[in-house]
Amino acid sequence: MSETDPLQPICDRVAAIWPAGRWASLRVVVGVSGGADSVCLLRTLAQMADEAASNLIVAHYDHQTRDDSADDAAFVGQLARDLGLDFELGRSASRDPSRSEADLRGERYEFLDAVARRLGARYVAVAHNRDDQVETILHNIFRGTGGSGARGIAAFRPLGEDLVLARPFLNVARQAIEAAMAAMGQAYRNDPTNAEPMWTRNWLRVELLPMLKDPFPQVDESLLRLGQNVGELQAAVDQIAAELETTTVVCEDAIVRIDIAPLQRAPEAVKVALLQGCWKKMDWPQAKMSHRHWKRLTQLLKNSGSEVDPAGFDLPGNVHVSVSNDAIMLTQRL
Ligand SMILES: Nc1ncnc2c1ncn2[C@@H]1O[C@H](COP(=O)(O)OP(=O)(O)OP(=O)(O)O)[C@@H](O)[C@H]1O
């Protein structure tokens, strides 16, 4: 590649977290909405994979949220053909305008997951970028988050067995993406909903962050550094919790038993990580577990549950808590 190749700096940034040697010989489903980010991701991966680019599968999901959404699908299909790549199109059965952002995301990931499994892919790649990471960290801080939320978006996340969600653009700024697309003359579709400050995330992007950048020009870097530092601390806490778990937690017949005494003096963050590890292991829903709920449990680990009603109490997700013989017992009532 020539030194003036506009995509090269982006390929280098991606290679720093996801070198082609790790994925180019495997099948990779690339989620392409048609916007600048995912079009750029596709072009970047195709360039990095070079001759192995035919392992890339272009996948687009038509949510049917806009009258012209079929044009996005046609655009992505044409781009796949131009690059000589396979194209998979999914289409929502619903046109219901009241579907939430989370509903749409859920449908989309279900589709990407299904395509990947059907075609034997090892990765699904999506194009969340550095600005998305900044917005996510800020959003999570405002919503109220523990260490895991302040870490932001993970670069890699398992999607069940043998399939990994990869976000190789987390170090690539939106501005660099748009500049590279312009320099290459690569067209992309604009999603008009991205510029409307109607959803909280878009409000952060369109209104708040630009406002913060005036008095704090380094706000992006500061938030990213915070996310990274918190991530490292959280990893250390998780490790301590995992070690303690081996001697204090027993899961048997759908009942989790946690010995209180050895955990009494453990720091609060370690107790929370240990408890969240139990929820994960048992596949219990955590979404409705608030700070207050975790706090209630860590209090039990602190004072041996002496003030708990013998009948116990329930937590969201129908998880029942009781205390007996110096241990907390957790079980899900179905
Ligand atoms: N309709 C689509 N079809 C295929 N892939 C898509 C589609 N929409 C989004 N993607 C993929 O997901 C990435 C992230 O998109 P977007 O930020 O809109 O969604 P999200 O997963 O809901 O993220 P967030 O949680 O930040 O809102 C895109 O860059 C693209 O790779």
Side-chain angles (χ1 to χ4, degrees), residues 153-215:
I153 310 170
F156 299 98
R157 176 163 73 78
L159 292 175
E161 243 172 63
D162 292 336
L163 186 61
V164 172
L165 180 70
R167 295 180 175 110
F169 261 18
L170 287 179
N171 280 336
V172 183
R174 186 172 293 142
Q175 207 181 12
I177 292 170
E178 286 171 3
M181 295 293 87
M184 293 167 75
Q186 170 65 60
Y188 53 85
R189 303 278 297 170
N190 272 316
D191 179 353
T193 59
N194 272 343
E196 289 170 22
M198 58 179 185
W199 285 329
T200 326
R201 277 295 294 273
N202 287 347
W203 175 78
L204 287 179
R205 171 187 305 165
V206 179
E207 308 261 354
L208 185 64
L209 273 164
M211 234 154 65
L212 287 172
K213 277 181 191 159
D214 190 16

Side-chain angles (χ1 to χ4, degrees), residues 27 43 47 99 143 193 195 211 219 226 279 327:
R27 305 212 87 184
R43 297 288 314 251
Q47 181 158 316
R99 285 171 297 167
R143 280 197 311 188
T193 59
M211 234 154 65
V219 65
L226 173 75
W279 254 249

Side-chain angles (χ1 to χ4, degrees), residues 31-33 37-38 41 59-63 101 105 108-109 112 125-128 132 136 201:
V32 182
S33 62
D37 300 341
S38 51
L41 176 65
H60 176 83
Y61 191 70
D62 181 352
H63 290 288
E101 215 174 338
R105 190 183 305 118
R108 180 164 71 243
Y109 277 106
L112 293 172
V126 287
H128 294 92
D132 294 322
T136 302
R201 277 295 294 273

Side-chain angles (χ1 to χ4, degrees), residues 286-295 316:
Q286 286 194 33
K288 295 213 168 99
M289 286 289 292
S290 66
H291 174 71
R292 190 174 52 83
H293 295 119
W294 295 118
K295 186 91 194 162

Side-chain angles (χ1 to χ4, degrees), residues 237-238 241-242 244-245 248-249 256-260 263 267-284 286 289 291 293-302 315 319 321 328-330:
V237 166
D238 288 347
L244 274 172
E245 191 204 296
T248 56
V249 179
V256 177
R257 183 198 143 94
I258 307 174
D259 285 334
I260 294 175
L263 294 170
E268 180 82 3
V270 170
K271 289 180 184 144
V272 172
L274 181 135
L275 289 162
Q276 290 179 340
C278 294
W279 254 249
K280 216 170 182 177
K281 201 178 240 174
M282 301 306 285
D283 213 11
W284 290 338
Q286 286 194 33
M289 286 289 292
H291 174 71
H293 295 119
W294 295 118
K295 186 91 194 162
R296 193 164 179 196
L297 286 171
T298 57
Q299 283 300 322
L300 294 186
L301 287 173
K302 200 167 166 187
L315 290 171
V319 175
V321 184
I328 296 181
M329 315 294 277
L330 303 167

